[in-house]
């Protein structure tokens, strides 16, 4: 049956009948029969869908079931139901015990038949022996099966479902349709164009064509482009904020640091707990760093051991072996220290600067939902003569406002290389509370003076993690869903643009 | 940062008023400690359910350098001073008829060379102050004393010890030790002691501090009673109890500065309970060279400060007199000297070893003023923004790769040795160029990657549910050993991509490579015009084992002539690498500037198998720094 021919037939029938109640009653002349065969429904349905999409008709599905017999059912018809067989093997005067029944009718019939025969009072049990209870029976199961064999169905729903449960009959779903005229009904089949084409523009035929109604609920076609990673999109937003505020990017492309730059130059004491094995990745190979500027190294060493530049120092031993150990940097501040060191040494003397970096740092931490051994640190440094804490706080207000955080407060904190150290809290309107968003401070003179920076040069520093605001932005609870190889590529593709 | 738990009722009694949780949180915030938790609700809940509970506690986070705030005595004292309810205590030496002596024997030199001691007399402990006294020692041991490595504290009932004569701190051979440890009823020698505590949950952690030494640190009184075996355990003989009134405190150390800090803190905190509050009886320590000094020294330090400096840091215009007022809130007695420059003289109490420099004074002045009250200004300097050139270049690559249909991924930089080498069919010698970690907690973090491919392939492995094709890329750093540099290592910025589909698709990876390089104005050099071209790139077949034989190529870049001069060193080695990589027939096409910058190919089935990838992949990776 061709769809188009069938569609024309349906439109003509609707013209004759006004509506069609049951598609099975349609007599389709090209094949000289009614459309009541199971296979007809598929072909009919696609024809009807086509007409409905043009709003020429409306149609409804109606489901019916037909039933076919299983092999077991055929056997029952031939040899009687299990219950009839059990009844037949018994007599009224001489009882049989269950074992003897099995011997006579087989275990399947005995198992099923005994219960059913009992239920219908065909048989009785005395002293664990079974007897015929009636002299005549009507084998309903077999009668029903015979009826189904002839008619493919039965009028008794309960009995049908029982036979289905017993796996004697198999249902098959049939579909037929009721059809009515739609808003765009016409007795002739109209062809609708699906889309405007170049040819139509050239020959002007678009003017006389009817166009298929467009489904405005359908999703658009997926574009073929790729996607940037959500964390790096947030990085880009941070970088833009830094650029907007006049910051120059620091060369943080150096994962391996010496303890000298990672800790000592920052005036982190050699006995500091952060330097222990459970917090820092130490390097086995290559083995030890060089000391490139011996004069600077000596100043750092002296400042730790016995002070200087107005400090009493840590008054603890300072070991050259410790300073030369190599680590994976635990913070990008190691690079900031080198930038400040170069700033002190640059030709033409000190000039104010604003520096930033966003790069990977490493901590030897146990991995869990919020900690990875690697994360990204966002860091900013501002150096100027007599720059103040008021400048730091005022700057932070502008910086974080660009990220949509307008209410800030600052808590005194401790950090070995900044004094004062200020924890930055922002009011989170959603949570209705203050949350810590970063750290900041003024670098200690014991760090800056050995580099040779003039006394009146103050250096502000601040830092935060890139992952935390990103996880909040994308409502990600597990950091492993954001960073690392276990990230779902589809999530990357779907992650929305970042606008703070 | 340490968190300490204090009894809420007792703290508010000491502060002389009730605080709501919010009010107390605010007070802590301004002072620079943090209220972590108030258990009042929790306790009320337990009480409602008829379950046992301790009285409500406040859990307070203390800055890591404020050892004077590790107990309720210290917190209450500091807050009372901050609130102006109390003036900072002055810690004085108790007059003594005869000063007790502690002689340090030279035999301690190699195991634990420093010691100090003090006596607190007329103490009356309550159950809570007694608990606090024990707890402070624990807190100090785990923080400042670094698990007793730097300093160990022992406290004793003074009245059980010899009342005259000299205490001796000496190294004693284990076999000569006869000692009943605290809360034990049997005397043991040094070896038995080590056995006794080898399974002890608490003490066993400290055995390593002395167990290799031929002598163990011991302290004897003049009756030859062994009262302490630092840093492990005190003797049962001089056991301290709640009824103890006179306390002998001894500290032994490997670090003289921390020794002084620890004894100062213990004495300062618990001299609150002595007969005459804040009076401490000093002990004269006799060093092996017979020099002597009193411990604790109780000599407050003087630091001079400048109001001009403080104002230049805070942005305030406070006078010296105003700063004196601010510092008194922080427990730092000071005076305005009237001098022109250093116009403030500050007395640093023994509780504040964290103050090293004038900047620490400045901080305290700023805290007292209130960080959140400082005038908010904006840095004045004009500076010019600039991206790091390699990052700018990376961003160009990232956008082009994404526009070309690639999805950016972000694998870890650390990986296992196998992933970085064997899994890629690389020769084990290649690991010599990698940075190896000494103390990773898992096998996943053995080396810093030298290629982007392991991370890209692992990402594909974890995304089997994704419809094919998968197109991923990464622009990031790898690292190599470089013995010529200060840190013996350098990063290298790379671009890498992998295409995963039902077939190998060499041309797809190649197509993305073409696109990326074209966008850098670097174009393909066809073999017929390759010889005379000024600049561009081409690919030549290679025998790189990561890739499928016959589907592996080296990416060769020819920079413009002017680049040549600054790259002589690198060039020599690259030239030999390249000559090796080229089949003989192609050798004559190579210009002297050509260098191999990366690889391209269909990933070898063995490599796919190592990374548990079922479908073919094509991949490329190149060094982006060549295009700076």
């Amino acid at each position: 049956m061709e769809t188009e021919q069938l569609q024309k037939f349906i439109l003509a029938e609707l013209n004759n009948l006004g509506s069609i109640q049951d598609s099975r009653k349609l007599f389709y002349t090209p094949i000289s029969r009614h459309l009541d065969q199971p296979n007809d429904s598929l072909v009919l349905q696609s024809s009807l869908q086509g007409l409905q999409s043009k709003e020429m008709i409306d149609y409804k599905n109606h489901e019916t079931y037909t039933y076919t017999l299983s092999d077991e059912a055929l056997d029952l018809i031939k040899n009687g139901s299990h219950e009839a067989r059990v009844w037949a093997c018994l007599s009224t005067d001489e009882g049989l015990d269950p074992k003897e029944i099995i011997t006579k009718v087989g275990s399947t019939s005995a198992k099923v038949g005994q219960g059913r025969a009992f239920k219908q009072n065909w048989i009785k049990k005395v002293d664990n022996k079974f007897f015929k209870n009636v002299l005549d029976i009507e084998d309903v199961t077999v009668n029903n099966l015979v009826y189904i064999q002839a008619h493919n169905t039965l009028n008794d729903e309960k009995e049908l479902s029982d036979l289905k449960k017993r796996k004697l009959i198999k249902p098959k779903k049939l579909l037929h349709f009721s059809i009515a005229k739609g808003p765009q009904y016409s007795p002739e089949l109209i062809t609708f164009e699906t889309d405007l084409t170049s040819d139509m523009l050239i020959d002007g035929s678009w003017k006389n064509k009817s166009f298929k109604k467009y489904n405005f609920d359908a999703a658009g076609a997926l574009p073929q482009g790729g996607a940037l990673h959500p964390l790096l999109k947030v990085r880009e937003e941070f970088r833009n904020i830094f650029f907007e505020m006049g910051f120059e990017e620091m060369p943080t492309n150096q994962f391996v640091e010496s303890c000298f730059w990672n800790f000592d130059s920052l005036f982190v004491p050699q006995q500091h707990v952060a330097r222990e094995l459970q917090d820092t990745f130490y390097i086995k190979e290559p083995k030890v760093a060089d000391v490139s500027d011996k004069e600077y190294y000596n100043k750092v060493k002296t400042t730790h051991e016995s002070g200087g530049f107005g400090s009493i120092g840590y008054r603890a031993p300072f070991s050259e072996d410790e300073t030369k150990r190599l680590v994976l940097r635990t913070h990008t501040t190691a690079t900031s220290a080198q930038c400040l060191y170069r700033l002190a040494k640059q030709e033409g003397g000190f000039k104010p600067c604003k520096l930033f970096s966003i790069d990977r740092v490493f901590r030897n931490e146990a991995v869990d939902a919020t900690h990875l051994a690697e994360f990204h640190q966002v860091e900013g440094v501002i150096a100027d003569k007599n720059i103040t804490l008021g400048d730091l706080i005022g700057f932070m207000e502008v910086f974080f406002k660009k990220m949509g955080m307008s209410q800030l407060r600052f808590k005194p904190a401790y950090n070995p290389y900044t004094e004062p150290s200020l924890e930055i809290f922002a009011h989170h309107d959603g949570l209705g509370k203050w949350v810590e968003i970063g750290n900041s401070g003024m670098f200690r003179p014991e760090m800056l003076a050995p580099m040779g920076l003039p006394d009146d040069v103050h250096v502000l520093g601040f830092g935060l993690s890139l992952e935390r605001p990103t996880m909040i932005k994308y409502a990600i609870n597990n950091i492993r869903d954001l960073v690392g190889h276990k990230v779902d590529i589809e999530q990357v593709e779907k992650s929305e643009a970042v606008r703070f | 940062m340490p968190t300490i738990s204090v009894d809420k009722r007792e703290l508010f009694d000491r502060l002389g008023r009730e605080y709501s949780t919010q009010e107390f949180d605010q007070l802590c915030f301004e002072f620079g400690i943090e209220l972590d938790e108030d258990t009042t609700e929790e306790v009320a809940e337990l009480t409602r359910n008829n379950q046992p509970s301790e009285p409500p506690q406040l859990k307070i986070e203390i800055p890591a350098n404020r050892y004077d705030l590790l107990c309720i005595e210290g917190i209450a004292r500091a807050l009372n001073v901050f609130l102006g309810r109390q003036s900072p205590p002055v810690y004085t030496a108790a007059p003594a008829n005869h000063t007790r002596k502690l002689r340090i024997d030279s035999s301690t030199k190699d195991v634990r060379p420093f010691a100090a001691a003090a006596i607190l007399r007329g103490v009356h402990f309550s159950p809570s102050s007694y608990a606090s006294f024990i707890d402070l020692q624990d807190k100090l041991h785990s923080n400042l004393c670094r698990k007793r490595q730097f300093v160990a504290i022992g406290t004793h009932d003074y009245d059980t010890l010899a009342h005259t004569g000299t205490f001796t701190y000496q190294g004693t051979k284990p076999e000569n030790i006869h000692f009943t440890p605290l809360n034990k009823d049997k005397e043991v020698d040094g070896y038995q002691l080590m056995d006794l505590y080898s399974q002890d949950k608490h003490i066993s952690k400290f055995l390593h501090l002395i167990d290799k030494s031929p002598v163990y640190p011991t302290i004897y009184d003049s009756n030859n009673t062994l009262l302490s075996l630092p840093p492990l355990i005190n003797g049962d003989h001089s056991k301290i109890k709640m009824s103890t009134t006179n306390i002998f405190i001894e500290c032994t150390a490997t670090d003289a500065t921390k020794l002084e800090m620890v004894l100062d803190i213990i004495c300062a905190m618990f001299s609150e309970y002595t007969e005459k509050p804040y009076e401490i009886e000093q002990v004269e320590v006799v060093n092996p060279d017979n020099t002597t000094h009193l411990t604790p020294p109780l000599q407050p330090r003087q630091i001079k400060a400048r109001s001009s400096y403080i104002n230049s840091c805070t942005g305030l215009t406070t006078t010296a007199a105003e700063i004196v007022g601010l510092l008194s809130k922080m427990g730092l007695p000071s005076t305005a000297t009237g001098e022109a420059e250093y116009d403030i003289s500050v007395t640093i109490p023994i509780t504040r070893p964290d103050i090293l420099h004038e900047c620490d004074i400045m901080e305290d002045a700023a805290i007292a003023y209130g960080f959140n009250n400082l005038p908010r200004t904006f840095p004045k300097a004009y500076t010019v923004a600039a991206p790091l050139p390699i990052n700018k270049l990376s961003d160009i690559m990232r956008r082009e790769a994404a526009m070309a249909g690639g999805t950016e991924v972000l694998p870890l930089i650390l990986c296992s040795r196998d992933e970085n080498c064997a899994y890629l069919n690389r020769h084990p010698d290649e690991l010599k160029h990698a940075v190896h970690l000494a103390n990773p907690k898992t096998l996943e973090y053995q080396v810093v990657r030298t290629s982007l491919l392991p991370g890209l392939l692992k990402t594909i492995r974890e995304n089997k549910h994704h419809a094919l094709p998968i197109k991923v890329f990464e622009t990031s750093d790898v690292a190599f050993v470089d013995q010529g540099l200060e840190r013996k290592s350098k990063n290298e910025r790379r671009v890498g991509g992998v295409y995963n589909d039902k077939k190998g698709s060499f041309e797809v990876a190649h197509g993305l490579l073409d696109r990326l390089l074209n966008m850098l104005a670097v174009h393909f050099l066809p073999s017929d015009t390759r010889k005379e071209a000024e600049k561009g790139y081409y690919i030549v077949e290679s025998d790189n084992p990561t890739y499928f034989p016959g589907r592996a190529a080296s990416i060769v870049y020819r920079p413009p002539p002017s680049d040549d001069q600054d790259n002589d060193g690198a060039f020599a080695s690259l030239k030999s690498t390249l000559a090796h990589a080229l089949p003989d027939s192609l050798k004559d096409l190579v210009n002297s500037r050509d260098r191999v910058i990366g690889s391209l190919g269909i990933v070898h089935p063995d490599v796919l198998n190592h990374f548990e990838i079922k479908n073919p992949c094509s991949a490329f990776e190149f060094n982006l720094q060549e295009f700076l």
Side-chain angles (χ1 to χ4, degrees), chain B residues 384-504:
Chain B
V384 177
L388 190 69
I390 189 67
N391 289 355
K392 180 166 181 163
L393 195 54
S394 296
D395 280 350
I396 292 170
M397 291 292 95
R398 292 174 54 236
R399 292 203 185 95
E400 291 297 341
M403 283 190 274
T407 298
E408 185 174 33
V409 295
L410 193 66
L412 300 180
I413 283 163
L414 303 179
C415 63
S416 75
R417 281 194 285 268
D418 278 349
E419 286 165 352
N420 196 66
C421 190
Y423 283 13
L424 296 176
N425 281 350
R426 290 184 170 179
H427 192 273
D429 279 356
E430 302 223 10
L431 279 174
K432 287 181 188 158
H433 306 296
V435 172
H436 292 253
L437 306 195
N439 58 329
K441 289 196 171 89
T442 75
L443 291 179
E444 288 172 278
Y445 309 137
Q446 290 176 315
V447 291
V448 181
R449 63 183 180 187
T450 59
S451 164
L452 300 181
L453 293 180
L456 290 166
L457 293 171
K458 283 197 282 179
T459 305
I460 287 175
R461 178 185 74 202
E462 300 294 331
N463 276 276
K464 291 199 173 81
H465 54 278
H466 192 282
L468 293 177
I470 295 176
K471 298 175 265 186
V472 290
F473 75 91
E474 187 190 7
T475 307
S476 183
D477 284 357
V478 300
F480 294 101
V481 173
D482 187 335
Q483 295 293 350
L485 299 173
E486 181 186 349
R487 298 167 194 82
K488 308 297 174 191
S489 158
K490 63 169 182 220
N491 284 19
E492 185 175 295
R493 184 66 46 89
R494 294 245 175 130
V495 182
V498 177
Y499 180 80
N500 177 219
D501 203 356
K502 287 282 180 195
K503 61 190 184 92

Side-chain angles (χ1 to χ4, degrees), chain A residues 224-229 231-232 235-236 239 243 245-251 253-258 261 267 271-273 276-278 280-286 288-290 292 309-316 326 328 338 352-354 360 362 364-365 367 373-374 384 386-391 393-395 397-398 408-414 419-423 425 442 444-446 458 483-490 492-493, chain B residues 1 25-26 29-34 63-65 146-147 150 255 257-258 301 309 312-315 355-360 362-363 366-367 371-372 374-381 383-388 390-392 395 398-399 402-403 405-414 417 434-441 445 448 455 458-459 461-463 465-466 470-474 476-477 479 481 483 485-491 493 625:
Chain A
Q224 292 303 300
L228 294 173
H229 191 279
L231 187 79
L232 303 184
R235 179 179 74 176
E236 179 174 339
R239 288 179 86 223
F243 290 143
M245 298 183 83
F247 278 73
E248 186 179 342
E249 196 167 24
M250 289 187 269
N253 48 344
Q254 177 71 37
F255 295 148
V256 177
E257 278 296 345
S258 57
W261 286 111
F267 200 55
Q271 292 80 9
H272 195 274
V273 65
E276 296 206 343
L277 290 171
Q278 66 264 31
T280 300
F281 283 117
Y282 285 88
I283 306 288
K284 183 163 69 185
E285 206 58 60
V288 290
D290 292 337
S292 61
F309 309 103
S311 175
I312 59 171
Y314 290 121
R315 293 151 292 138
L326 288 164
L328 284 183
Q338 286 150 51
C353 67
K354 298 193 196 115
R360 204 91 60 123
F362 305 86
N364 197 6
E365 300 206 36
V367 172
E374 305 176 16
D384 199 358
N386 294 321
I387 195 167
T388 68
L389 283 178
D391 288 330
I393 292 174
F395 172 84
E397 280 198 314
V398 179
L408 298 187
R409 63 176 194 170
F410 297 85
K411 183 175 95 66
Y414 169 67
E419 187 79 358
S421 307
L422 300 80
E423 278 174 8
F425 286 72
M442 197 176 251
R444 291 190 73 95
E446 291 100 321
H458 302 160
V483 179
H485 55 268
K486 294 198 172 154
V487 170
D488 185 353
I489 292 173
E490 199 177 324
V492 173
E493 290 163 345
Chain B
M1 280 197 288
D25 181 66
Q26 181 64 26
F29 195 92
E30 283 165 15
F31 183 69
I33 56 183
E34 199 170 327
N65 64 340
R146 190 65 49 78
K147 301 187 184 98
F150 296 141
D255 181 306
T257 306
K258 291 181 184 65
R301 281 185 289 140
Y309 167 75
S312 81
C313 290
T314 57
I355 293 178
L356 308 177
H357 188 275
E358 191 183 5
C359 72
D360 298 297
M362 176 268 288
E363 182 204 30
I367 293 173
F371 285 170
N372 298 298
L374 290 173
R376 299 187 174 193
T377 49
F378 192 81
K380 287 162 207 71
T383 52
V384 177
L388 190 69
I390 189 67
N391 289 355
K392 180 166 181 163
D395 280 350
R398 292 174 54 236
R399 292 203 185 95
M403 283 190 274
T407 298
E408 185 174 33
V409 295
L410 193 66
L412 300 180
I413 283 163
L414 303 179
R417 281 194 285 268
V435 172
H436 292 253
L437 306 195
N439 58 329
K441 289 196 171 89
Y445 309 137
V448 181
K458 283 197 282 179
T459 305
R461 178 185 74 202
E462 300 294 331
N463 276 276
H465 54 278
H466 192 282
I470 295 176
K471 298 175 265 186
V472 290
F473 75 91
E474 187 190 7
S476 183
D477 284 357
V481 173
Q483 295 293 350
L485 299 173
E486 181 186 349
R487 298 167 194 82
K488 308 297 174 191
S489 158
K490 63 169 182 220
N491 284 19
R493 184 66 46 89
Q625 289 176 195

Side-chain angles (χ1 to χ4, degrees), chain A residues 90-144:
Chain A
L90 298 173
S91 69
T92 48
D93 42 12
E94 208 169 314
L96 295 179
D97 68 20
K99 269 189 190 155
E100 289 165 322
I101 298 177
I102 290 173
T103 320
K104 293 217 170 210
V105 300
S107 65
T108 313
S109 290
K111 213 166 84 192
V112 182
Q114 200 173 291
R116 296 186 63 86
F118 214 72
K119 230 176 173 177
Q120 299 178 77
N121 284 323
W122 291 354
I123 60 172
K124 65 181 176 190
K125 190 177 170 191
V126 180
D127 295 338
N128 208 29
K129 297 236 174 194
F130 289 91
F131 300 88
K132 251 187 189 149
N133 195 30
V134 291
L135 291 175
D136 202 14
I137 58 160
E138 188 197 340
D139 195 343
V140 181
T141 304
V142 166
N143 292 350
N144 283 338

Side-chain angles (χ1 to χ4, degrees), chain A residues 10-45:
Chain A
I10 289 164
L11 292 174
E13 285 295 289
L14 280 173
N15 198 30
N16 296 337
L17 302 169
S19 69
I20 297 162
Q21 296 307 321
D22 185 343
S23 59
R24 291 175 297 189
K25 304 240 159 64
L26 291 171
F27 188 84
Y28 189 43
T29 38
I31 53 170
S32 311
R33 64 166 173 82
H34 286 99
L35 295 176
D36 57 357
Q37 296 303 303
N39 292 336
D40 294 342
S41 61
L42 275 179
V43 189
L44 251 176
Q45 194 174 28

Side-chain angles (χ1 to χ4, degrees), chain B residues 123-139:
Chain B
V123 172
H124 292 284
F125 278 127
S126 68
S128 71
S129 63
Y130 182 72
S132 178
F133 184 62
I134 304 297
D135 192 49
L136 175 65
Q137 294 174 52
D138 281 347
K139 286 272 172 1

